[in-house]
Amino acid sequence: MELVTPGFGLIFWTTLTFLLLVFLLKKFAWGPILTAVKDREESIDNALKSAEKAREEMKNLQADNEKILAEARAERDAMLKEGRELRDKTIDGAKEAAKAEAEKMIENAREQIEMQKRAAMTELKNQVAALSIDMAEKILRKELADAKKQEALINEMLEDIK
Amino acid sequence: MHRNIFFTIITAFAISFGNAQEHEHITSDLAASDLDTHEDEDINAVIMHHIGDSYDWHLFDWKGHPVSVSLPVIVYTNKGGLSVFSSSAFHHDDAGKEVVEVNGQRFVKYHEKIYLASQSANEDGVYLDLDEEHHALNARPIDVSITKNVASLFVTAILMLIIILPAANYYKRNGSGVAPKGMASFLEPLIVFVRDEIALQNIGHKHYNRFVPYLLSLFFFIWIANMLGLIPFIPGGANLSGNIAFTMVLAVLSLIIVNVNGKKDYWKHIFWMPGVPVPVRILLAPIELVSVFAKPFALMIRLFANMTAGHIVILSLISLIFVLDSIWVSPAAIILTLFIFIIKVLVALLQAYIFALLTALFIGQAVEEHEHH
Amino acid sequence: MVGSIAAIGAGLATLGIGLGIGKVGGSAMEGIARQPEAAGKIQTAMIIAAALIEGAGLFAIVVALLGTNTGA
């Protein structure tokens, strides 16, 4: 019975001491400790969150970069293609033009050559004709120097006419 | 610096009240017990003496005389008012034979209790009226003495302050950005454990913040008191947390905190249980009302019984040596005691945890708000 | 004599507590083995259940204790 009968003295001192202790610790210990722990947890939490955010941003940035790069590449490709096309077109055009020009020049030359050839031919013909007449004159003179031969010739010719 | 303060206080204590004195003593210690006759009853008395309270703090026996720190006796009587004197005035008498006269009041100590002495001694020289069962019939003064348990209580409180305040200072000094070091690094996991596992989990995130300081104080107070009780010599050796007055105060505080914070739903569940037929409600109300008091009562009994039972078991095992009157029993007794001691270290923590946990649980039930029904 | 009867009462009460807490502990172990991730919650629930059982038993022990001391 003694054991389970609470004594007044101890009840009094325990109540007093414990309440005082709770008060003191709450004010000077638990308050600051809990605040500090909470603050730290929050700051760690925030740091983690911001790190996560930074990582996310980094990712986005990277994705953006990738996109820009891809765009740039595409643009470059397009430009290159265009350039190539332009070049090809230019070259083709130039070739065409050169060809046309060359043909024209060739044509011209040919015409000229033809013309000159014709002129030369005409000259040649004329000269050959003059030469032939000369030669014929000379032969005739020689042939017709003798009266007999003249007569024979007249006869032959008359024969032919007949 | 705190250590210096602590030592100053202890020294002051020792100087003002603690004239360690040697006197003839009555059966007060295990080794000195007279075990030839009525062995069982003597062992019983010795064990009861050890788990009970006393007015001086026994240190050791020197040449058959007890050496102890005397503690102040503070008693109040209507006639004599407040009387304060050192317990050494009783000269280690515990049989009511030594009368101390203060402020015109005469006191005797009998079985570790202070009584108002009778006018004259009986045939055995005892200044008390005793019944057949040797219970004193004399009136008792209002006794708020600094007994062994109260001194142990102060030691517990001071220990808590010198453990926890430097840790708090560390946070104050360094702010929250620094990792805890020293005592702070030891305390922080425990504090976070109490906050998250005991308070948050059982009370809920809406209300738990308010109760964390109380639960923390409760947890560390009980734990340190338990651990001090396990130390067999000064500053331990008192059975503080195995004293029903101590556990009663904590349980009553829990009862008050739980019921003061009781929300509408809590009271409704007690007096008019929703969701059951009316006759059952009427039947349930008294049962629920009893359970309001039964819960802290169980808290009180649990801590008291656990700590006291542990002390009794340890003392009984040691007593085996004297009961069987053979030194050859001692190895077995010591190994068994060691085993119990290890369990007790675990129980010391476990009981502090359970007390705080159940208090948190009851608070949680009280502040809980149901959304349906 | 009353004391010893009270002691038997305390023993019987302890028997009951032992059985009860044993069952709670055993079931909790099974639960933890089945769902190790819920160990924390099961532990808390187990301690609460054990504490309540123990509380009921402690009442009986206190009654036994009262019997012992008044009888002696």
Coordinates of all heavy atoms in Angstrom, one line a residue, chain A residues 2-19 21-41 43, chain B residues 113 142-146 150 153-154 157 160 164 168 171-172 176 178 180 188 191 195 208-209 212-214 216-218 220-221 243-246 248-250 253 304:
Chain A
E2 N 1.9 1.2 0.8 CA 2.9 2.3 0.9 C 3.4 2.6 -0.5 O 3.6 3.8 -0.8 CB 4.0 1.8 1.8 CG 5.3 2.5 1.7 CD 5.4 3.6 2.8 OE1 5.0 3.3 3.9 OE2 5.9 4.7 2.5
L3 N 3.7 1.6 -1.2 CA 4.3 1.8 -2.5 C 3.4 2.5 -3.5 O 3.9 3.3 -4.3 CB 4.6 0.4 -3.1 CG 5.8 0.3 -4.0 CD1 7.1 0.8 -3.4 CD2 6.0 -1.2 -4.4
V4 N 2.1 2.3 -3.4 CA 1.2 2.9 -4.4 C 0.5 4.1 -3.8 O -0.5 4.6 -4.4 CB 0.2 1.9 -5.0 CG1 0.9 1.0 -6.0 CG2 -0.4 1.1 -3.9
T5 N 1.0 4.7 -2.7 CA 0.4 5.9 -2.2 C 1.4 7.0 -2.5 O 2.5 7.1 -2.0 CB 0.3 5.8 -0.6 OG1 -0.3 4.5 -0.3 CG2 -0.6 6.9 -0.1
P6 N 0.9 7.9 -3.4 CA 1.8 9.0 -3.7 C 2.0 10.0 -2.5 O 1.1 10.3 -1.8 CB 1.1 9.7 -4.9 CG -0.3 9.3 -4.8 CD -0.3 8.0 -4.1
G7 N 3.3 10.3 -2.3 CA 3.6 11.3 -1.2 C 3.4 12.7 -1.7 O 3.7 13.0 -2.8
F8 N 2.9 13.5 -0.8 CA 2.6 14.9 -1.2 C 3.9 15.7 -1.6 O 3.9 16.4 -2.5 CB 1.9 15.6 0.0 CG 1.7 17.1 -0.3 CD1 0.7 17.5 -1.2 CD2 2.5 18.1 0.3 CE1 0.6 18.8 -1.5 CE2 2.3 19.4 0.0 CZ 1.4 19.8 -0.9
G9 N 5.0 15.5 -0.8 CA 6.2 16.2 -1.1 C 6.7 16.1 -2.5 O 7.0 17.0 -3.2
L10 N 6.8 14.8 -2.9 CA 7.3 14.6 -4.2 C 6.3 15.1 -5.3 O 6.8 15.6 -6.4 CB 7.5 13.0 -4.4 CG 8.4 12.7 -5.6 CD1 9.7 13.4 -5.6 CD2 8.6 11.2 -5.7
I11 N 5.0 15.0 -5.1 CA 4.1 15.5 -6.0 C 4.3 17.0 -6.2 O 4.4 17.5 -7.3 CB 2.6 15.3 -5.6 CG1 2.3 13.8 -5.6 CG2 1.6 16.1 -6.4 CD1 0.9 13.5 -5.1
F12 N 4.5 17.7 -5.1 CA 4.7 19.1 -5.1 C 5.9 19.5 -5.9 O 5.9 20.3 -6.8 CB 4.8 19.6 -3.6 CG 5.2 21.0 -3.5 CD1 4.3 22.1 -3.7 CD2 6.5 21.3 -3.1 CE1 4.7 23.4 -3.6 CE2 6.9 22.7 -3.0 CZ 6.0 23.7 -3.2
W13 N 7.1 18.8 -5.5 CA 8.3 19.2 -6.1 C 8.4 18.8 -7.6 O 8.9 19.5 -8.4 CB 9.5 18.5 -5.4 CG 9.8 19.2 -4.1 CD1 9.6 18.7 -2.8 CD2 10.2 20.5 -3.8 NE1 9.9 19.6 -1.8 CE2 10.3 20.7 -2.5 CE3 10.6 21.6 -4.7 CZ2 10.8 21.9 -1.9 CZ3 11.0 22.8 -4.1 CH2 11.1 22.9 -2.7
T14 N 7.8 17.6 -7.9 CA 7.8 17.2 -9.3 C 7.0 18.2 -10.2 O 7.5 18.6 -11.2 CB 7.2 15.8 -9.4 OG1 7.8 14.9 -8.5 CG2 7.3 15.2 -10.9
T15 N 5.8 18.5 -9.7 CA 5.0 19.5 -10.5 C 5.8 20.8 -10.7 O 5.9 21.3 -11.8 CB 3.7 19.8 -9.7 OG1 3.1 18.6 -9.2 CG2 2.7 20.5 -10.6
L16 N 6.3 21.3 -9.6 CA 7.0 22.6 -9.7 C 8.2 22.5 -10.6 O 8.4 23.3 -11.6 CB 7.5 22.9 -8.3 CG 7.9 24.4 -8.0 CD1 6.6 25.2 -8.0 CD2 8.7 24.5 -6.7
T17 N 9.0 21.4 -10.4 CA 10.3 21.3 -11.2 C 9.9 21.0 -12.7 O 10.5 21.7 -13.5 CB 11.1 20.1 -10.7 OG1 11.2 20.2 -9.3 CG2 12.5 20.1 -11.3
F18 N 9.0 20.1 -12.9 CA 8.7 19.8 -14.3 C 8.1 20.9 -15.0 O 8.5 21.2 -16.2 CB 7.8 18.6 -14.3 CG 7.6 18.0 -15.7 CD1 8.7 17.6 -16.5 CD2 6.3 18.0 -16.3 CE1 8.5 17.2 -17.8 CE2 6.1 17.5 -17.6 CZ 7.2 17.1 -18.3
L19 N 7.2 21.6 -14.4 CA 6.6 22.8 -15.1 C 7.6 23.9 -15.4 O 7.7 24.4 -16.5 CB 5.4 23.3 -14.3 CG 4.2 22.4 -14.3 CD1 3.0 23.1 -13.5 CD2 3.7 22.2 -15.7
L21 N 10.8 23.4 -15.7 CA 11.7 22.8 -16.7 C 11.0 23.0 -18.1 O 11.7 23.4 -19.1 CB 11.9 21.3 -16.4 CG 13.1 20.7 -17.0 CD1 14.4 21.3 -16.5 CD2 13.1 19.2 -16.7
V22 N 9.8 22.6 -18.2 CA 9.1 22.7 -19.5 C 9.1 24.2 -20.0 O 9.5 24.5 -21.1 CB 7.6 22.2 -19.4 CG1 6.9 22.6 -20.7 CG2 7.6 20.8 -19.2
F23 N 8.9 25.1 -19.0 CA 8.8 26.5 -19.4 C 10.2 27.0 -19.9 O 10.4 27.6 -20.9 CB 8.4 27.3 -18.2 CG 8.5 28.8 -18.4 CD1 7.6 29.5 -19.1 CD2 9.6 29.5 -17.8 CE1 7.7 30.8 -19.3 CE2 9.7 30.9 -17.9 CZ 8.8 31.5 -18.7
L24 N 11.3 26.6 -19.0 CA 12.6 27.1 -19.4 C 13.1 26.5 -20.7 O 13.6 27.2 -21.6 CB 13.6 26.6 -18.3 CG 13.6 27.5 -17.0 CD1 14.6 26.9 -16.0 CD2 14.0 28.9 -17.3
L25 N 12.9 25.2 -20.8 CA 13.4 24.5 -22.1 C 12.6 25.0 -23.3 O 13.2 25.3 -24.3 CB 13.2 23.0 -21.9 CG 14.2 22.4 -21.0 CD1 13.9 20.9 -20.9 CD2 15.6 22.6 -21.5
K26 N 11.3 25.3 -23.1 CA 10.5 25.7 -24.2 C 11.0 27.1 -24.7 O 11.2 27.4 -25.9 CB 9.1 25.9 -23.8 CG 8.2 26.2 -25.0 CD 6.7 26.2 -24.6 CE 5.9 26.6 -25.8 NZ 4.4 26.5 -25.5
K27 N 11.4 27.9 -23.7 CA 11.8 29.3 -24.0 C 13.2 29.3 -24.5 O 13.5 30.0 -25.5 CB 11.6 30.2 -22.8 CG 11.9 31.6 -23.0 CD 11.1 32.5 -22.1 CE 11.2 33.9 -22.5 NZ 11.0 34.8 -21.4
F28 N 14.1 28.6 -23.9 CA 15.5 28.8 -24.2 C 16.1 27.6 -25.0 O 17.2 27.8 -25.5 CB 16.3 28.9 -22.9 CG 16.0 30.1 -22.1 CD1 15.3 30.0 -20.9 CD2 16.3 31.4 -22.6 CE1 15.0 31.2 -20.2 CE2 15.9 32.5 -21.9 CZ 15.3 32.4 -20.7
A29 N 15.4 26.5 -25.1 CA 16.0 25.4 -25.8 C 15.2 24.9 -27.0 O 15.6 25.0 -28.1 CB 16.3 24.3 -24.9
W30 N 14.0 24.4 -26.7 CA 13.2 23.8 -27.8 C 12.9 24.8 -28.9 O 13.0 24.5 -30.1 CB 12.0 23.1 -27.3 CG 12.2 22.1 -26.2 CD1 11.5 22.0 -25.0 CD2 13.1 21.1 -26.2 NE1 12.0 21.0 -24.3 CE2 13.0 20.4 -24.9 CE3 14.1 20.6 -27.0 CZ2 13.7 19.3 -24.6 CZ3 14.9 19.6 -26.7 CH2 14.7 18.9 -25.5
G31 N 12.5 26.0 -28.4 CA 12.2 27.1 -29.4 C 13.3 27.3 -30.4 O 13.1 27.0 -31.6
P32 N 14.5 27.7 -29.9 CA 15.6 27.9 -30.9 C 16.0 26.7 -31.6 O 16.2 26.8 -32.9 CB 16.7 28.4 -30.0 CG 16.1 28.8 -28.7 CD 14.8 28.1 -28.6
I33 N 16.0 25.6 -31.0 CA 16.4 24.3 -31.7 C 15.5 24.0 -32.8 O 15.8 23.7 -33.9 CB 16.6 23.2 -30.7 CG1 17.8 23.4 -29.7 CG2 16.8 21.9 -31.4 CD1 17.9 22.3 -28.7
L34 N 14.2 24.0 -32.4 CA 13.2 23.6 -33.4 C 13.1 24.5 -34.6 O 13.0 24.1 -35.7 CB 11.8 23.5 -32.7 CG 11.6 22.3 -31.8 CD1 10.3 22.4 -31.0 CD2 11.6 21.0 -32.6
T35 N 13.3 25.9 -34.2 CA 13.3 26.8 -35.3 C 14.5 26.6 -36.2 O 14.3 26.6 -37.4 CB 13.4 28.3 -34.7 OG1 12.5 28.3 -33.6 CG2 13.0 29.3 -35.7
A36 N 15.7 26.4 -35.6 CA 16.9 26.2 -36.4 C 16.8 25.0 -37.2 O 17.1 25.0 -38.4 CB 18.1 26.1 -35.4
V37 N 16.3 23.9 -36.6 CA 16.1 22.6 -37.4 C 15.2 22.8 -38.5 O 15.4 22.4 -39.7 CB 15.7 21.5 -36.5 CG1 15.3 20.3 -37.3 CG2 16.8 21.2 -35.5
K38 N 14.1 23.5 -38.2 CA 13.1 23.7 -39.3 C 13.6 24.6 -40.4 O 13.4 24.3 -41.6 CB 11.8 24.4 -38.6 CG 10.7 24.3 -39.6 CD 9.3 24.5 -38.9 CE 8.3 23.8 -39.7 NZ 7.3 23.2 -38.9
D39 N 14.3 25.7 -39.9 CA 14.9 26.6 -40.9 C 15.9 25.8 -41.8 O 15.9 26.0 -43.1 CB 15.7 27.7 -40.2 CG 14.8 28.8 -39.7 OD1 13.6 28.7 -40.0 OD2 15.2 29.7 -39.1
R40 N 16.7 25.0 -41.2 CA 17.7 24.2 -42.0 C 17.0 23.3 -42.9 O 17.3 23.2 -44.1 CB 18.6 23.5 -41.1 CG 19.7 22.9 -41.9 CD 20.9 22.4 -41.2 NE 20.6 21.3 -40.4 CZ 20.8 21.2 -39.1 NH1 21.4 22.2 -38.5 NH2 20.5 20.2 -38.4
E41 N 15.9 22.6 -42.4 CA 15.2 21.7 -43.3 C 14.6 22.5 -44.5 O 14.7 22.0 -45.6 CB 14.1 21.0 -42.5 CG 14.6 19.8 -41.8 CD 13.6 19.2 -40.8 OE1 12.4 19.8 -40.7 OE2 13.9 18.3 -40.1
S43 N 15.7 25.3 -45.7 CA 16.7 25.8 -46.6 C 17.2 24.6 -47.4 O 17.5 24.8 -48.6 CB 17.8 26.5 -45.8 OG 18.6 25.5 -45.2
Chain B
K113 N 9.3 8.1 7.3 CA 8.2 9.1 7.3 C 8.4 10.0 8.6 O 8.8 9.5 9.6 CB 6.8 8.4 7.3 CG 6.4 8.0 6.0 CD 4.9 7.8 6.0 CE 4.4 7.5 4.6 NZ 4.2 6.0 4.4
I142 N 2.6 18.5 7.1 CA 2.7 18.6 5.6 C 4.2 18.6 5.2 O 4.9 19.4 5.7 CB 2.0 19.9 5.1 CG1 0.5 19.8 5.4 CG2 2.2 20.0 3.6 CD1 -0.2 21.1 5.1
D143 N 4.6 17.6 4.5 CA 6.0 17.3 4.3 C 6.4 17.6 2.9 O 6.0 16.9 1.9 CB 6.2 15.8 4.6 CG 7.6 15.4 4.6 OD1 8.5 16.3 4.3 OD2 7.9 14.2 5.0
V144 N 7.2 18.7 2.7 CA 7.7 18.9 1.4 C 9.3 18.9 1.4 O 10.0 19.7 0.8 CB 7.2 20.3 0.8 CG1 5.8 20.2 0.4 CG2 7.5 21.4 1.9
S145 N 9.8 17.9 2.2 CA 11.2 17.8 2.3 C 11.9 17.5 1.0 O 11.3 17.0 0.1 CB 11.5 16.6 3.3 OG 10.9 16.8 4.5
I146 N 13.2 18.0 1.0 CA 14.0 17.6 -0.2 C 14.5 16.2 0.2 O 15.6 16.0 0.8 CB 15.2 18.5 -0.3 CG1 14.8 20.0 -0.3 CG2 16.0 18.2 -1.6 CD1 13.9 20.3 -1.5
V150 N 13.5 13.8 -4.4 CA 13.4 15.2 -4.8 C 14.8 15.7 -5.2 O 14.9 16.3 -6.3 CB 12.8 16.1 -3.7 CG1 12.8 17.5 -4.1 CG2 11.4 15.6 -3.3
L153 N 15.4 14.3 -8.5 CA 14.5 15.1 -9.4 C 15.3 16.4 -9.8 O 15.4 16.7 -11.0 CB 13.2 15.5 -8.7 CG 12.2 16.4 -9.4 CD1 11.5 15.6 -10.5 CD2 11.3 17.0 -8.4
F154 N 15.9 17.1 -8.9 CA 16.7 18.3 -9.2 C 17.9 17.9 -10.0 O 18.2 18.6 -11.0 CB 17.1 18.9 -7.9 CG 16.0 19.5 -7.1 CD1 16.2 19.9 -5.7 CD2 14.8 19.8 -7.6 CE1 15.2 20.4 -5.0 CE2 13.8 20.3 -6.9 CZ 14.0 20.6 -5.6
A157 N 16.7 17.5 -13.5 CA 16.4 18.8 -14.1 C 17.6 19.5 -14.5 O 17.8 20.0 -15.6 CB 15.5 19.6 -13.2
M160 N 19.3 17.9 -17.4 CA 18.6 18.2 -18.7 C 19.1 19.6 -19.1 O 19.3 19.8 -20.3 CB 17.1 18.2 -18.4 CG 16.5 16.9 -18.8 SD 14.7 17.0 -18.6 CE 14.2 17.5 -20.2
I164 N 20.9 20.2 -22.6 CA 20.1 20.7 -23.7 C 20.5 22.2 -24.0 O 20.5 22.6 -25.1 CB 18.6 20.5 -23.4 CG1 18.4 19.0 -23.5 CG2 17.8 21.2 -24.5 CD1 17.1 18.6 -22.8
A168 N 21.2 24.2 -27.5 CA 20.4 25.3 -28.0 C 21.3 26.5 -28.3 O 21.1 27.2 -29.3 CB 19.3 25.7 -27.0
Y171 N 22.9 26.3 -31.6 CA 22.1 26.8 -32.8 C 22.0 28.3 -32.8 O 22.0 28.9 -33.9 CB 20.7 26.1 -32.7 CG 20.7 24.7 -33.0 CD1 20.6 23.7 -32.0 CD2 20.8 24.2 -34.3 CE1 20.7 22.4 -32.3 CE2 20.8 22.9 -34.6 CZ 20.7 22.0 -33.6 OH 20.7 20.7 -33.9
K172 N 21.9 28.9 -31.6 CA 21.7 30.3 -31.5 C 23.0 31.0 -32.1 O 22.9 32.0 -32.8 CB 21.5 30.8 -30.1 CG 20.1 30.9 -29.7 CD 19.9 31.5 -28.3 CE 18.8 30.9 -27.6 NZ 19.0 31.1 -26.1
S176 N 21.1 28.5 -38.5 CA 20.6 27.2 -38.9 C 21.4 26.6 -40.0 O 21.2 25.5 -40.4 CB 19.1 27.4 -39.3 OG 19.1 28.3 -40.4
V178 N 24.5 25.7 -40.2 CA 25.6 24.9 -39.9 C 25.2 23.5 -39.4 O 24.2 23.4 -38.8 CB 26.5 25.6 -38.8 CG1 27.7 24.8 -38.6 CG2 26.7 27.0 -39.2
P180 N 25.0 20.3 -37.1 CA 25.2 20.2 -35.7 C 26.4 19.5 -35.3 O 26.9 18.6 -36.0 CB 23.9 19.4 -35.3 CG 23.5 18.6 -36.4 CD 23.9 19.5 -37.6
E188 N 20.0 16.3 -31.9 CA 19.1 16.6 -33.1 C 18.3 15.4 -33.6 O 17.1 15.5 -33.8 CB 19.9 17.3 -34.2 CG 19.0 17.9 -35.2 CD 19.7 18.7 -36.3 OE1 20.5 19.5 -35.9 OE2 19.5 18.4 -37.4
I191 N 15.5 14.8 -31.2 CA 14.5 15.8 -31.3 C 13.7 15.7 -32.6 O 12.4 15.7 -32.5 CB 15.2 17.2 -31.3 CG1 15.8 17.5 -29.9 CG2 14.2 18.3 -31.6 CD1 16.7 18.7 -29.8
R195 N 9.8 14.8 -32.8 CA 8.9 15.7 -33.5 C 8.1 15.0 -34.6 O 6.9 15.1 -34.8 CB 9.7 16.9 -34.2 CG 8.9 18.0 -34.7 CD 9.7 18.9 -35.6 NE 10.3 18.1 -36.7 CZ 11.1 18.6 -37.6 NH1 11.5 19.9 -37.5 NH2 11.5 17.9 -38.6
Y208 N 0.3 19.7 -34.4 CA 1.4 19.1 -33.6 C 2.4 20.1 -33.1 O 3.0 19.8 -32.1 CB 2.1 18.0 -34.5 CG 3.2 18.5 -35.4 CD1 4.5 18.3 -35.2 CD2 2.8 19.1 -36.6 CE1 5.5 18.8 -36.0 CE2 3.8 19.6 -37.5 CZ 5.1 19.4 -37.2 OH 6.1 19.9 -38.1
N209 N 2.6 21.2 -33.8 CA 3.6 22.1 -33.4 C 3.5 22.6 -32.0 O 4.5 22.8 -31.3 CB 3.6 23.4 -34.4 CG 4.7 23.3 -35.3 OD1 5.7 22.7 -35.1 ND2 4.6 24.0 -36.5
V212 N 5.0 19.9 -29.4 CA 6.3 19.4 -29.5 C 7.2 19.7 -28.3 O 7.8 18.8 -27.8 CB 7.0 19.8 -30.9 CG1 8.4 19.4 -30.9 CG2 6.2 19.1 -32.0
P213 N 7.2 21.0 -27.9 CA 8.1 21.3 -26.7 C 7.7 20.5 -25.5 O 8.6 19.9 -24.8 CB 7.8 22.8 -26.5 CG 7.4 23.3 -27.8 CD 6.6 22.2 -28.4
Y214 N 6.4 20.3 -25.2 CA 6.0 19.5 -24.0 C 6.5 18.1 -24.2 O 7.0 17.5 -23.3 CB 4.5 19.6 -23.8 CG 4.0 18.8 -22.7 CD1 4.3 19.2 -21.4 CD2 3.4 17.6 -22.9 CE1 3.9 18.4 -20.3 CE2 3.0 16.8 -21.8 CZ 3.2 17.2 -20.5 OH 2.9 16.5 -19.5
L216 N 8.8 16.8 -26.0 CA 10.3 16.7 -25.9 C 10.7 16.8 -24.5 O 11.5 15.9 -24.0 CB 10.9 17.9 -26.7 CG 11.1 17.7 -28.2 CD1 11.5 19.1 -28.8 CD2 12.1 16.7 -28.5
S217 N 10.2 17.7 -23.7 CA 10.5 17.8 -22.3 C 10.2 16.5 -21.6 O 11.0 16.0 -20.8 CB 9.8 19.0 -21.6 OG 10.0 20.1 -22.4
L218 N 9.0 16.0 -21.9 CA 8.5 14.8 -21.2 C 9.4 13.6 -21.5 O 9.9 12.9 -20.6 CB 7.1 14.5 -21.8 CG 6.3 13.4 -21.0 CD1 5.9 13.9 -19.6 CD2 5.0 13.2 -21.8
F220 N 12.6 13.5 -22.6 CA 14.0 13.6 -22.1 C 13.9 13.5 -20.5 O 14.8 12.9 -19.9 CB 14.7 14.9 -22.5 CG 15.2 14.8 -23.9 CD1 14.5 15.4 -25.0 CD2 16.3 14.1 -24.2 CE1 15.0 15.3 -26.2 CE2 16.8 14.0 -25.5 CZ 16.1 14.6 -26.5
F221 N 12.9 14.1 -19.9 CA 12.8 14.1 -18.5 C 12.6 12.6 -18.0 O 13.4 12.2 -17.1 CB 11.6 14.9 -18.1 CG 11.4 15.2 -16.6 CD1 12.5 15.8 -15.9 CD2 10.3 14.9 -15.9 CE1 12.4 16.1 -14.6 CE2 10.2 15.2 -14.6 CZ 11.2 15.8 -13.9
N243 N 8.6 6.0 -8.7 CA 7.8 6.4 -7.6 C 6.5 6.9 -8.1 O 6.4 7.7 -9.1 CB 8.5 7.6 -6.9 CG 7.8 8.0 -5.6 OD1 6.6 8.3 -5.5 ND2 8.6 7.9 -4.5
I244 N 5.4 6.4 -7.5 CA 4.1 6.7 -8.0 C 3.7 8.2 -8.0 O 3.0 8.6 -8.9 CB 3.0 5.9 -7.4 CG1 1.7 5.8 -8.2 CG2 2.7 6.4 -6.0 CD1 1.2 4.5 -8.4
A245 N 4.3 9.0 -7.1 CA 4.0 10.4 -7.1 C 4.5 11.1 -8.3 O 3.8 11.9 -9.0 CB 4.6 11.0 -5.8
F246 N 5.7 10.7 -8.7 CA 6.4 11.2 -9.9 C 5.5 10.9 -11.2 O 5.2 11.8 -11.9 CB 7.8 10.7 -10.0 CG 8.5 11.0 -11.2 CD1 9.2 12.2 -11.3 CD2 8.5 10.2 -12.3 CE1 10.0 12.6 -12.4 CE2 9.3 10.5 -13.5 CZ 10.0 11.7 -13.5
M248 N 2.5 10.0 -11.3 CA 1.2 10.5 -11.2 C 1.2 12.0 -11.7 O 0.3 12.4 -12.5 CB 0.7 10.5 -9.8 CG -0.8 10.8 -9.6 SD -1.3 10.8 -7.9 CE -1.2 12.5 -7.6
V249 N 2.2 12.8 -11.3 CA 2.2 14.2 -11.8 C 2.3 14.2 -13.3 O 1.5 15.0 -13.9 CB 3.4 14.9 -11.2 CG1 3.6 16.2 -11.8 CG2 3.3 15.0 -9.7
L250 N 3.1 13.4 -13.9 CA 3.2 13.4 -15.4 C 1.9 12.9 -16.0 O 1.5 13.5 -17.0 CB 4.4 12.5 -15.8 CG 5.8 12.9 -15.3 CD1 6.8 12.0 -15.8 CD2 6.1 14.3 -15.7
L253 N -0.7 15.7 -15.7 CA -0.4 16.8 -16.7 C -0.9 16.3 -18.1 O -1.4 17.1 -18.8 CB 1.1 17.1 -16.7 CG 1.6 17.9 -15.5 CD1 3.1 18.1 -15.6 CD2 0.9 19.2 -15.4
F304 N 5.5 3.5 -13.5 CA 5.8 3.1 -12.1 C 6.1 1.7 -12.0 O 7.2 1.3 -11.4 CB 4.6 3.5 -11.2 CG 4.5 2.7 -9.9 CD1 5.3 3.0 -8.9 CD2 3.5 1.7 -9.8 CE1 5.2 2.3 -7.7 CE2 3.5 1.0 -8.6 CZ 4.3 1.2 -7.6

